[in-house]
Amino acid sequence: MKIIPIRWVRLQLRPETTRPLLILILILSPFWPSLLPVTAIVTMATRKRNRASSFSRFPSPSRDSVSTLEEGKYNKGNDHLTPDSIIGIFNDPSTSDFILRLSLDPSLIASGCDDAAATPPISPPTLDLHVSSSSLRRARYFDALLSDRWQEKTASDKSPRIITLTVGPSATGTCRRRRHFDGHVSVIRLLHTLDFASCVLSPTDALDLLPVALELLFDDLIRYCLRFLDTVPWTEEEEKHVLTLVPMLQLHESKDLLSRIFPVQSDASNSPSEKMLADLINSAIHAPPNSATVKTFVAKILRDYPAIDSIMKVLDSSFVRSLDAVKELMGKYASPDFRVAGDNDEREAMQRLHLHAAMTNIKHLYWIIERMVEMRVADNAVREWSDQSGLSADLLKTLKDDNYRNIAPGLPVFLTRCTLKLAGAVVSGHTLAPQQLRVKLVNVWLPVLNACRDLAFLPGGSQRTVFHDLEETFLQIISTLPIADAQELLQQCLSFSTRNVDDCPHLINAFKTWFRRADRAPQ
C-alpha cells in the first residue's frame, strides 16, 4: 500500500477496478472541499510499480506554460524546435533565468527620430524581456557575454539577473519602424523560437532584422536573411538599404547580393550597359517585319537611358556595321566582274540574293538613323554619309539597270529616306555640320536624287513626296553655303523644275535668294 497525491499520479486501472473507483468519487464529492488536499490509496500489482514510477518522473506542465501555449504566444512552426528551445519560452517569467533590458540610446531621442514627445525624457525609455540563457547563447554576442559574467553566480543569490542592451541608431540609417525596440524584440524572440520563416515574409522584414542580427552575431538569422534577400526581387528603395548593409557583411556573405547590384569587372571596351544596348538594337533591327512592338520598345529604352554618350557610341557602332554591309552588297551587285561571270540563271540568282540582302540592311540602317536623329547624336552618321561617294556611284549603276526593279523596287526610296533624315538634322540645327561637310553631303547625294526623279515607273503620292522633301532640304542647305559653292550646286538642281513653273516655288526662291546676295557690292 502506497499513499500518493492524486494530482501527481497517472493511474493504470484495469477495467474491473474502474467501477468501484467511480462509486468512491461520487460518495466523497459532497465533502470534497474539506478534504483537500485529497490522497488516494492505490493498490497496484508488483509488475505495475516500475511503470508507475517511470511516469512520475515527468511533472505536468505549469499553469503559466500551459496558458502560454493556449494563448498562442508561440509562433506557428514550433513543432520542429529542439528541446532546449522549448525549455526557454520567450518572455515567460516562469521559465526565464535572465531579464534583458533594452535601453534606447539618448542620441535617438535628441535627433527627434523617436515617436515620443518633443521634449526628451530625463532617462531613456527601457523595455524588460524575460529570456532564457540557453536561447541567448545562440547569438555569439550573448554567448561571450554570459560565459564569463555569470559563471560565479551562486544559487543562493535570488536577485534578478539583468543584462542591459543599448539600442542605437538603425544600421540602415533611417527610422523605418514605428518603435525602435521592434527589431531587437523580434530577433530576441527568434533566438528562442528559431521560426525564421514566419517572421521574414518580405525584403523589408529581412532588412529590419539583419542589422540587429549582425549586431548580436546571430549567425543563423544572418544566413537566412541573406538567402531570402538573394532569392526575392527588391524595390528601388529596398536596393538602397541593401547597399547600406553591404559594408557590414563579410565578402563571402555579400558576394551574391553584390553580383545583382554591380557589374563584373571586365577588360572589354564596352560596359555591360553598352553591350546590353547594342544587343537590344541588334534584336530590334533583326526582328520580324510584323514585330513593330519590339522596335517601339527598344526606341523607348534608348530615349529614357540617361547616358547620352553611351547611346551615341552604340548607335554609331550599329550604323557603321549596317552601312558596311550595304556597301559590300551594293558593290557586288554593281561590279562588272560579277556581271560577266557565270550563266544567266546563276547570275540572276546571285543578283537577287545580293539585292535582297542590301534592301534588308538599308531598312536596318534607316531605323538606326531615325534613332540617331531623334536622340540628336547623328554627327558621326552625317560625316560618314557624306563620304559615301563609292556607294552613291554603285547606286547610280544599279538605277541604270532595269533588272533591280523586279527584285527590290523600293531600294531608291529607302536610300533617299536615309539621306533626307540626315540632311534634315543638319537643316534643323540638331547636327552642327561644318561648311565643307555640308558641301560634300549635297555633292555626293544630289546626283542620286536627280536619277531617282527621272525614274518613270515611280508612282505618285508618298514616294514622290520623299524626293520633293529632299529637294527642299538640299536647297535649304545650299542657301547656307558661300555664294561660289551655292552657284555650282544650284546649277545641278535644274532638274527640280517642272513644266508648270508654279509647281516648283522652292527652286524659284532658292535662285532668287542667290541672285539677291550675288548682286550686293563686295565687302
Side-chain angles (χ1 to χ4, degrees):
M1 186 173 65
K2 185 177 182 181
I3 299 176
I4 304 176
I6 195 169
R7 59 174 180 170
W8 295 108
V9 71
R10 300 190 182 190
L11 300 179
Q12 298 292 327
L13 299 177
R14 291 172 296 187
E16 57 268 25
T17 62
T18 304
R19 186 174 180 181
L21 181 60
L22 291 175
I23 296 174
L24 178 61
I25 292 174
L26 290 174
I27 294 172
L28 295 177
S29 58
F31 308 96
W32 199 267
S34 61
L35 294 177
L36 292 178
V38 179
T39 60
I41 302 176
V42 182
T43 304
M44 295 184 178
T46 305
R47 59 189 178 89
K48 298 291 184 177
R49 291 181 180 274
N50 293 335
R51 182 178 296 179
S53 62
S54 66
F55 278 109
S56 64
R57 296 194 193 104
F58 295 90
S60 63
S62 66
R63 182 182 301 272
D64 291 336
S65 61
V66 172
S67 64
T68 302
L69 291 172
E70 291 176 349
E71 293 170 6
K73 291 184 180 179
Y74 260 26
N75 292 325
K76 60 181 180 180
N78 287 342
D79 52 341
H80 67 274
L81 298 180
T82 62
D84 289 341
S85 64
I86 295 177
I87 293 174
I89 301 175
F90 172 69
N91 208 23
D92 183 11
S94 64
T95 59
S96 65
D97 52 356
F98 283 95
I99 293 178
L100 179 62
R101 178 164 295 166
L102 301 179
S103 177
L104 188 62
D105 190 335
S107 64
L108 289 180
I109 305 175
S111 64
C113 201
D114 192 25
D115 287 340
T119 303
I122 298 176
S123 60
T126 60
L127 176 65
D128 288 349
L129 301 174
H130 296 274
V131 295
S132 168
S133 60
S134 60
S135 299
L136 289 183
R137 289 180 183 274
R138 291 185 173 122
R140 285 186 287 136
Y141 171 81
F142 288 119
D143 185 51
L145 182 66
L146 298 178
S147 60
D148 296 327
R149 184 171 182 177
W150 302 110
Q151 268 186 354
E152 299 179 359
K153 274 282 183 180
T154 61
S156 60
D157 190 357
K158 301 300 182 180
S159 60
R161 291 173 288 185
I162 300 176
I163 307 174
T164 301
L165 181 64
T166 302
V167 177
S170 173
T172 58
T174 59
C175 300
R176 290 157 45 87
R177 291 183 172 270
R178 182 172 180 80
R179 294 170 296 182
H180 286 285
F181 293 143
D182 285 353
H184 286 74
V185 171
S186 298
V187 173
I188 300 302
R189 184 191 302 274
L190 289 175
L191 281 170
H192 290 73
T193 66
L194 298 179
D195 192 9
F196 304 143
S198 64
C199 191
V200 183
L201 303 176
S202 67
T204 301
D205 294 335
L207 292 170
D208 285 338
L209 297 177
L210 192 54
V212 183
L214 290 168
E215 176 188 349
L216 302 180
L217 302 177
F218 189 4
D219 295 330
D220 291 339
L221 181 57
I222 293 172
R223 284 191 291 268
Y224 187 88
C225 289
L226 291 177
R227 288 199 303 269
F228 186 90
L229 290 173
D230 179 53
T231 305
V232 300
W234 313 326
T235 64
E236 184 177 356
E237 188 67 21
E238 290 166 349
E239 183 174 316
K240 293 178 181 178
H241 288 302
V242 171
L243 287 172
T244 62
L245 289 175
V246 166
M248 304 172 61
L249 301 172
Q250 299 181 14
L251 180 60
H252 70 277
E253 294 174 333
S254 61
K255 181 179 179 181
D256 293 337
L257 300 182
L258 291 177
S259 65
R260 185 194 299 196
I261 304 174
F262 296 102
V264 179
Q265 291 184 352
S266 175
D267 296 333
S269 58
N270 291 340
S271 66
S273 297
E274 292 173 352
K275 187 177 184 305
M276 171 63 85
L277 291 172
D279 292 341
L280 290 175
I281 293 172
N282 188 63
S283 299
I285 62 178
H286 290 94
N290 57 350
S291 299
T293 55
V294 176
K295 294 183 177 180
T296 303
F297 176 78
V298 175
K300 177 174 176 53
I301 292 293
L302 294 175
R303 285 194 302 269
D304 295 342
Y305 191 73
I308 195 66
D309 291 339
S310 297
I311 294 292
M312 184 174 184
K313 182 177 179 180
V314 296
L315 285 175
D316 284 344
S317 179
S318 299
F319 175 82
V320 170
R321 283 197 303 270
S322 296
L323 180 59
D324 289 342
V326 172
K327 289 163 58 177
E328 180 182 1
L329 293 168
M330 292 300 300
K332 289 180 179 180
Y333 183 84
S335 173
D337 297 334
F338 172 77
R339 291 178 178 275
V340 299
D343 56 23
N344 291 335
D345 294 338
E346 181 182 357
R347 180 168 66 96
E348 184 178 357
M350 294 300 294
Q351 282 178 332
R352 287 182 176 276
L353 179 62
H354 291 154
L355 210 54
H356 273 301
M359 185 66 181
T360 301
N361 281 278
I362 290 172
K363 292 180 179 179
H364 298 167
L365 191 66
Y366 179 68
W367 186 86
I368 295 172
I369 291 174
E370 280 187 315
R371 305 284 76 75
M372 299 176 86
V373 172
E374 180 184 20
M375 301 295 297
R376 299 191 178 189
V377 291
D379 302 68
N380 294 331
V382 171
R383 187 177 298 105
E384 287 288 336
W385 200 249
S386 301
D387 289 334
Q388 300 308 315
S389 56
L391 177 60
S392 175
D394 291 336
L395 185 58
L396 289 174
K397 294 177 184 178
T398 302
L399 295 178
K400 293 177 182 179
D401 184 5
D402 294 337
N403 291 332
Y404 90 91
R405 301 180 182 182
N406 300 322
I407 303 173
L411 180 68
V413 176
F414 269 96
L415 276 174
T416 302
R417 287 177 178 173
C418 293
T419 307
L420 177 61
K421 274 290 181 182
L422 294 174
V426 174
V427 171
S428 64
H430 295 166
T431 298
L432 303 180
Q435 272 188 9
Q436 293 304 315
L437 189 60
R438 300 196 299 272
V439 172
K440 288 176 62 177
L441 179 63
V442 178
N443 260 326
V444 168
W445 291 103
L446 183 56
V448 176
L449 176 60
N450 289 330
C452 290
R453 291 188 79 265
D454 294 338
L455 297 176
F457 78 95
L458 283 176
S462 60
Q463 291 188 345
R464 286 202 175 273
T465 301
V466 171
F467 300 119
H468 184 271
D469 291 343
L470 185 56
E471 291 176 6
E472 290 187 342
T473 303
F474 273 172
L475 291 174
Q476 289 176 329
I477 293 177
I478 291 173
S479 69
T480 67
L481 300 178
I483 292 179
D485 294 326
Q487 178 181 355
E488 180 181 352
L489 292 174
L490 280 176
Q491 294 178 22
Q492 301 178 38
C493 296
L494 293 177
S495 59
F496 297 174
S497 59
T498 59
R499 292 181 179 179
N500 187 355
V501 179
D502 295 334
D503 291 340
C504 53
H506 56 298
L507 183 63
I508 295 175
N509 291 333
F511 274 96
K512 286 182 177 180
T513 300
W514 186 89
F515 278 111
R516 184 181 68 250
R517 294 172 179 175
D519 290 341
R520 289 194 180 100
Q523 292 292 331

